[in-house]
mmCIF file of all heavy atoms in Angstrom:
data_model
loop_
_atom_site.group_PDB
_atom_site.id
_atom_site.type_symbol
_atom_site.label_atom_id
_atom_site.label_comp_id
_atom_site.label_asym_id
_atom_site.label_seq_id
_atom_site.Cartn_x
_atom_site.Cartn_y
_atom_site.Cartn_z
ATOM 1 N N LEU A 407 -163.134 24.451 -131.996
ATOM 2 C CA LEU A 407 -163.818 23.812 -130.857
ATOM 3 C C LEU A 407 -164.392 22.448 -131.267
ATOM 4 O O LEU A 407 -164.329 21.484 -130.471
ATOM 5 C CB LEU A 407 -164.906 24.701 -130.312
ATOM 6 C CG LEU A 407 -164.469 25.886 -129.471
ATOM 7 C CD1 LEU A 407 -165.654 26.822 -129.163
ATOM 8 C CD2 LEU A 407 -163.843 25.439 -128.130
ATOM 9 N N LEU A 408 -164.880 22.342 -132.469
ATOM 10 C CA LEU A 408 -165.450 21.109 -132.953
ATOM 11 C C LEU A 408 -164.369 20.042 -133.159
ATOM 12 O O LEU A 408 -164.515 18.903 -132.763
ATOM 13 C CB LEU A 408 -166.240 21.330 -134.247
ATOM 14 C CG LEU A 408 -166.864 20.095 -134.857
ATOM 15 C CD1 LEU A 408 -167.873 19.455 -133.918
ATOM 16 C CD2 LEU A 408 -167.577 20.466 -136.166
ATOM 17 N N THR A 409 -163.263 20.419 -133.800
ATOM 18 C CA THR A 409 -162.200 19.432 -134.014
ATOM 19 C C THR A 409 -161.543 19.018 -132.689
ATOM 20 O O THR A 409 -161.117 17.861 -132.537
ATOM 21 C CB THR A 409 -161.130 19.949 -134.979
ATOM 22 O OG1 THR A 409 -160.574 21.203 -134.501
ATOM 23 C CG2 THR A 409 -161.724 20.198 -136.354
ATOM 24 N N PHE A 410 -161.454 19.936 -131.738
ATOM 25 C CA PHE A 410 -160.957 19.552 -130.393
ATOM 26 C C PHE A 410 -161.898 18.535 -129.737
ATOM 27 O O PHE A 410 -161.466 17.611 -129.067
ATOM 28 C CB PHE A 410 -160.812 20.795 -129.507
ATOM 29 C CG PHE A 410 -159.429 21.403 -129.556
ATOM 30 C CD1 PHE A 410 -158.914 21.891 -130.739
ATOM 31 C CD2 PHE A 410 -158.652 21.478 -128.422
ATOM 32 C CE1 PHE A 410 -157.640 22.451 -130.785
ATOM 33 C CE2 PHE A 410 -157.376 22.040 -128.460
ATOM 34 C CZ PHE A 410 -156.874 22.523 -129.642
ATOM 35 N N GLU A 411 -163.203 18.709 -129.989
ATOM 36 C CA GLU A 411 -164.164 17.721 -129.459
ATOM 37 C C GLU A 411 -163.944 16.382 -130.125
ATOM 38 O O GLU A 411 -164.000 15.323 -129.434
ATOM 39 C CB GLU A 411 -165.594 18.215 -129.718
ATOM 40 C CG GLU A 411 -166.635 17.204 -129.229
ATOM 41 C CD GLU A 411 -168.057 17.608 -129.590
ATOM 42 O OE1 GLU A 411 -168.298 18.809 -129.873
ATOM 43 O OE2 GLU A 411 -168.961 16.751 -129.565
ATOM 44 N N MET A 412 -163.724 16.323 -131.415
ATOM 45 C CA MET A 412 -163.475 15.071 -132.111
ATOM 46 C C MET A 412 -162.242 14.388 -131.545
ATOM 47 O O MET A 412 -162.223 13.158 -131.321
ATOM 48 C CB MET A 412 -163.293 15.282 -133.610
ATOM 49 C CG MET A 412 -164.490 15.886 -134.333
ATOM 50 S SD MET A 412 -165.972 14.822 -134.259
ATOM 51 C CE MET A 412 -167.072 15.907 -133.360
ATOM 52 N N GLN A 413 -161.202 15.172 -131.310
ATOM 53 C CA GLN A 413 -159.965 14.606 -130.721
ATOM 54 C C GLN A 413 -160.265 14.013 -129.346
ATOM 55 O O GLN A 413 -159.773 12.933 -129.005
ATOM 56 C CB GLN A 413 -158.928 15.720 -130.623
ATOM 57 C CG GLN A 413 -157.506 15.249 -130.471
ATOM 58 C CD GLN A 413 -156.897 14.742 -131.763
ATOM 59 O OE1 GLN A 413 -157.129 13.582 -132.112
ATOM 60 N NE2 GLN A 413 -156.135 15.583 -132.450
ATOM 61 N N ALA A 414 -161.072 14.705 -128.563
ATOM 62 C CA ALA A 414 -161.441 14.224 -127.238
ATOM 63 C C ALA A 414 -162.268 12.946 -127.294
ATOM 64 O O ALA A 414 -162.107 12.034 -126.457
ATOM 65 C CB ALA A 414 -162.197 15.314 -126.457
ATOM 66 N N ARG A 415 -163.160 12.853 -128.267
ATOM 67 C CA ARG A 415 -163.971 11.639 -128.422
ATOM 68 C C ARG A 415 -163.085 10.412 -128.671
ATOM 69 O O ARG A 415 -163.269 9.366 -128.081
ATOM 70 C CB ARG A 415 -164.960 11.806 -129.580
ATOM 71 C CG ARG A 415 -166.132 12.688 -129.343
ATOM 72 C CD ARG A 415 -167.085 12.613 -130.537
ATOM 73 N NE ARG A 415 -168.144 13.566 -130.454
ATOM 74 C CZ ARG A 415 -169.083 13.708 -131.394
ATOM 75 N NH1 ARG A 415 -169.061 12.904 -132.458
ATOM 76 N NH2 ARG A 415 -170.052 14.586 -131.272
ATOM 77 N N ILE A 416 -162.143 10.589 -129.560
ATOM 78 C CA ILE A 416 -161.247 9.452 -129.881
ATOM 79 C C ILE A 416 -160.409 9.062 -128.667
ATOM 80 O O ILE A 416 -160.305 7.874 -128.313
ATOM 81 C CB ILE A 416 -160.321 9.816 -131.059
ATOM 82 C CG1 ILE A 416 -161.130 10.146 -132.311
ATOM 83 C CG2 ILE A 416 -159.341 8.701 -131.363
ATOM 84 C CD1 ILE A 416 -160.330 10.791 -133.417
ATOM 85 N N ALA A 417 -159.819 10.054 -128.030
ATOM 86 C CA ALA A 417 -158.975 9.778 -126.850
ATOM 87 C C ALA A 417 -159.792 9.111 -125.750
ATOM 88 O O ALA A 417 -159.327 8.165 -125.100
ATOM 89 C CB ALA A 417 -158.313 11.058 -126.366
ATOM 90 N N GLY A 418 -160.974 9.634 -125.518
ATOM 91 C CA GLY A 418 -161.847 9.057 -124.469
ATOM 92 C C GLY A 418 -162.260 7.640 -124.809
ATOM 93 O O GLY A 418 -162.328 6.764 -123.931
ATOM 94 N N ALA A 419 -162.572 7.384 -126.071
ATOM 95 C CA ALA A 419 -162.919 6.024 -126.512
ATOM 96 C C ALA A 419 -161.777 5.080 -126.275
ATOM 97 O O ALA A 419 -161.968 3.908 -125.858
ATOM 98 C CB ALA A 419 -163.332 6.023 -127.974
ATOM 99 N N HIS A 420 -160.558 5.526 -126.498
ATOM 100 C CA HIS A 420 -159.380 4.703 -126.243
ATOM 101 C C HIS A 420 -159.295 4.357 -124.761
ATOM 102 O O HIS A 420 -159.123 3.213 -124.376
ATOM 103 C CB HIS A 420 -158.110 5.422 -126.717
ATOM 104 C CG HIS A 420 -156.854 4.735 -126.355
ATOM 105 N ND1 HIS A 420 -155.694 5.423 -126.074
ATOM 106 C CD2 HIS A 420 -156.548 3.414 -126.178
ATOM 107 C CE1 HIS A 420 -154.716 4.574 -125.793
ATOM 108 N NE2 HIS A 420 -155.222 3.338 -125.833
ATOM 109 N N LYS A 421 -159.397 5.403 -123.923
ATOM 110 C CA LYS A 421 -159.260 5.188 -122.473
ATOM 111 C C LYS A 421 -160.352 4.300 -121.908
ATOM 112 O O LYS A 421 -160.130 3.580 -120.927
ATOM 113 C CB LYS A 421 -159.221 6.521 -121.752
ATOM 114 C CG LYS A 421 -157.942 7.329 -121.982
ATOM 115 C CD LYS A 421 -156.710 6.554 -121.575
ATOM 116 C CE LYS A 421 -155.435 7.377 -121.666
ATOM 117 N NZ LYS A 421 -154.226 6.603 -121.319
ATOM 118 N N SER A 422 -161.528 4.316 -122.490
ATOM 119 C CA SER A 422 -162.648 3.544 -121.984
ATOM 120 C C SER A 422 -162.668 2.133 -122.592
ATOM 121 O O SER A 422 -163.557 1.333 -122.281
ATOM 122 C CB SER A 422 -163.967 4.237 -122.270
ATOM 123 O OG SER A 422 -164.172 4.358 -123.679
ATOM 124 N N GLY A 423 -161.719 1.822 -123.459
ATOM 125 C CA GLY A 423 -161.631 0.483 -124.053
ATOM 126 C C GLY A 423 -162.447 0.260 -125.305
ATOM 127 O O GLY A 423 -162.485 -0.850 -125.828
ATOM 128 N N GLN A 424 -163.124 1.320 -125.811
ATOM 129 C CA GLN A 424 -163.969 1.143 -126.972
ATOM 130 C C GLN A 424 -163.198 0.808 -128.253
ATOM 131 O O GLN A 424 -163.738 0.247 -129.209
ATOM 132 C CB GLN A 424 -164.811 2.369 -127.202
ATOM 133 C CG GLN A 424 -165.803 2.684 -126.094
ATOM 134 C CD GLN A 424 -166.545 3.983 -126.346
ATOM 135 O OE1 GLN A 424 -167.018 4.245 -127.453
ATOM 136 N NE2 GLN A 424 -166.687 4.808 -125.318
ATOM 137 N N LEU A 425 -161.923 1.186 -128.285
ATOM 138 C CA LEU A 425 -161.102 0.926 -129.476
ATOM 139 C C LEU A 425 -160.357 -0.409 -129.385
ATOM 140 O O LEU A 425 -159.609 -0.736 -130.299
ATOM 141 C CB LEU A 425 -160.096 2.067 -129.671
ATOM 142 C CG LEU A 425 -160.703 3.452 -129.870
ATOM 143 C CD1 LEU A 425 -159.612 4.482 -130.135
ATOM 144 C CD2 LEU A 425 -161.750 3.462 -130.979
ATOM 145 N N GLY A 426 -160.578 -1.177 -128.326
ATOM 146 C CA GLY A 426 -159.947 -2.465 -128.218
ATOM 147 C C GLY A 426 -158.945 -2.512 -127.083
ATOM 148 O O GLY A 426 -158.491 -1.462 -126.596
ATOM 149 N N PRO A 427 -158.573 -3.719 -126.632
ATOM 150 C CA PRO A 427 -157.590 -3.832 -125.580
ATOM 151 C C PRO A 427 -156.201 -3.376 -126.011
ATOM 152 O O PRO A 427 -155.877 -3.393 -127.181
ATOM 153 C CB PRO A 427 -157.593 -5.361 -125.254
ATOM 154 C CG PRO A 427 -158.120 -5.986 -126.508
ATOM 155 C CD PRO A 427 -159.096 -5.001 -127.115
ATOM 156 N N GLU A 428 -155.387 -2.979 -125.063
ATOM 157 C CA GLU A 428 -154.060 -2.487 -125.353
ATOM 158 C C GLU A 428 -153.213 -3.488 -126.109
ATOM 159 O O GLU A 428 -152.399 -3.149 -126.973
ATOM 160 C CB GLU A 428 -153.350 -2.040 -124.060
ATOM 161 C CG GLU A 428 -153.860 -0.730 -123.492
ATOM 162 C CD GLU A 428 -153.697 0.428 -124.470
ATOM 163 O OE1 GLU A 428 -152.626 0.586 -125.081
ATOM 164 O OE2 GLU A 428 -154.647 1.202 -124.612
ATOM 165 N N GLU A 429 -153.357 -4.748 -125.754
ATOM 166 C CA GLU A 429 -152.568 -5.809 -126.425
ATOM 167 C C GLU A 429 -152.882 -5.819 -127.922
ATOM 168 O O GLU A 429 -151.969 -5.906 -128.759
ATOM 169 C CB GLU A 429 -152.884 -7.159 -125.836
ATOM 170 C CG GLU A 429 -152.077 -8.299 -126.475
ATOM 171 C CD GLU A 429 -152.419 -9.658 -125.889
ATOM 172 O OE1 GLU A 429 -153.357 -9.718 -125.024
ATOM 173 O OE2 GLU A 429 -151.765 -10.644 -126.231
ATOM 174 N N PHE A 430 -154.166 -5.693 -128.264
ATOM 175 C CA PHE A 430 -154.561 -5.649 -129.688
ATOM 176 C C PHE A 430 -153.975 -4.431 -130.361
ATOM 177 O O PHE A 430 -153.430 -4.518 -131.477
ATOM 178 C CB PHE A 430 -156.093 -5.672 -129.790
ATOM 179 C CG PHE A 430 -156.590 -5.232 -131.131
ATOM 180 C CD1 PHE A 430 -156.617 -6.105 -132.195
ATOM 181 C CD2 PHE A 430 -157.086 -3.945 -131.318
ATOM 182 C CE1 PHE A 430 -157.087 -5.703 -133.457
ATOM 183 C CE2 PHE A 430 -157.551 -3.529 -132.547
ATOM 184 C CZ PHE A 430 -157.550 -4.406 -133.603
ATOM 185 N N LEU A 431 -154.094 -3.281 -129.732
ATOM 186 C CA LEU A 431 -153.603 -2.031 -130.315
ATOM 187 C C LEU A 431 -152.088 -2.088 -130.522
ATOM 188 O O LEU A 431 -151.559 -1.603 -131.529
ATOM 189 C CB LEU A 431 -153.976 -0.837 -129.432
ATOM 190 C CG LEU A 431 -155.491 -0.577 -129.272
ATOM 191 C CD1 LEU A 431 -155.731 0.512 -128.275
ATOM 192 C CD2 LEU A 431 -156.135 -0.227 -130.614
#
Side-chain angles (χ1 to χ4, degrees):
L407 283 171
L408 180 59
T409 57
F410 268 61
E411 178 185 342
M412 298 298 117
Q413 199 76 278
R415 285 187 188 180
I416 299 169
H420 173 211
K421 289 302 186 183
S422 63
Q424 296 177 45
L425 300 184
E428 285 300 315
E429 181 181 5
F430 163 79
L431 297 174

